[in-house]
């Protein structure tokens, strides 16, 4: 089977820019995912509580995007996650886990799973758009 001519032309334009374009695509998709996680986190923090909210806003401020990187298998990835540690010495990842899955006396509020589902198609679209923009620049 042979690749279509138009695809071959586009691929040949990439040349040594492949890694750079891949990273830009990941950043574009990552920004979309980060926005969805942030919105989803906002929708659960301080809502449907038995008592008064103890939220300091620190978890939301710690939410961020890693730099694009290549893993040991040669696959590129980018991660949405929380900077550590909190000012009180606790773990942001631990707090996010408790919010996501709940604990005894605290129901689960799955903000990460919801954000993942909501952002998948949007991330792919943003990455494809960025790819087209970068190929057009070549």
């Amino acid at each position: 089977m042979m690749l279509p001519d138009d695809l071959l032309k586009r691929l040949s334009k990439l040349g040594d820019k492949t890694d750079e374009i891949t990273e830009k695509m990941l950043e574009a998709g990552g920004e979309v995912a980060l926005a969805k996680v942030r919105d989803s986190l906002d929708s659960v923090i301080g809502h449907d509580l038995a008592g008064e909210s103890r939220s300091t806003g620190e978890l939301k401020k710690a939410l961020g995007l890693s730099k694009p990187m290549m893993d040991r298998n040669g696959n590129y990835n980018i991660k949405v996650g929380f900077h550590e540690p909190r000012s009180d010495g606790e773990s942001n990842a631990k707090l996010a886990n408790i919010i996501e899955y709940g604990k005894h006396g605290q129901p689960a509020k799955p903000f990460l799973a919801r954000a993942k589902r909501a952002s998948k198609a949007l991330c792919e679209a943003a990455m494809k758009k960025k790819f087209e923009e970068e190929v057009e620049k070549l």
Side-chain angles (χ1 to χ4, degrees), residues 26-87:
L26 284 170
E27 288 170 347
E31 289 295 335
V32 171
L34 177 61
K36 286 292 182 188
V37 172
R38 192 168 278 132
D39 290 346
S40 187
L41 183 59
D42 275 343
S43 74
V44 299
I45 289 182
H47 298 278
D48 301 325
L49 301 173
E52 197 171 318
S53 175
R54 296 181 295 161
S55 176
T56 63
E58 196 168 350
L59 185 64
K60 184 179 173 187
K61 288 177 193 169
L63 188 59
L65 199 58
S66 74
K67 292 182 178 180
M69 54 194 136
M70 186 185 296
D71 66 17
R72 63 178 173 234
N73 297 322
N75 299 314
Y76 278 94
N77 64 65
I78 194 165
K79 297 178 182 181
V80 175
F82 298 94
H83 300 288
E84 298 290 352
R86 297 172 56 84
S87 61

Side-chain angles (χ1 to χ4, degrees), residues 2-137:
M2 296 184 63
L3 291 172
D5 288 339
D6 63 326
L7 182 58
L8 280 172
K9 285 179 189 174
R10 292 171 71 197
L11 287 173
S12 68
K13 280 185 174 182
L14 296 179
D16 61 349
K17 300 277 188 190
T18 303
D19 291 344
E20 179 184 329
I21 292 172
T22 300
E23 289 179 5
K24 288 179 180 182
M25 290 169 55
L26 284 170
E27 288 170 347
E31 289 295 335
V32 171
L34 177 61
K36 286 292 182 188
V37 172
R38 192 168 278 132
D39 290 346
S40 187
L41 183 59
D42 275 343
S43 74
V44 299
I45 289 182
H47 298 278
D48 301 325
L49 301 173
E52 197 171 318
S53 175
R54 296 181 295 161
S55 176
T56 63
E58 196 168 350
L59 185 64
K60 184 179 173 187
K61 288 177 193 169
L63 188 59
L65 199 58
S66 74
K67 292 182 178 180
M69 54 194 136
M70 186 185 296
D71 66 17
R72 63 178 173 234
N73 297 322
N75 299 314
Y76 278 94
N77 64 65
I78 194 165
K79 297 178 182 181
V80 175
F82 298 94
H83 300 288
E84 298 290 352
R86 297 172 56 84
S87 61
D88 59 7
E90 287 289 324
S91 166
N92 281 311
K94 175 184 167 186
L95 183 57
N97 189 50
I98 291 169
I99 294 169
E100 181 78 9
Y101 298 105
K103 66 178 186 176
H104 181 70
Q106 182 176 334
K109 296 180 180 179
F111 71 98
L112 288 170
R114 183 173 38 176
K116 181 180 176 184
R117 284 190 306 272
S119 67
K120 186 175 192 278
L122 295 172
C123 287
E124 289 173 357
M127 290 175 20
K128 287 176 184 175
K129 180 179 177 188
K130 179 53 81 173
F131 175 77
E132 295 297 334
E133 288 172 4
E134 294 299 318
V135 169
E136 288 301 315
K137 291 179 188 177

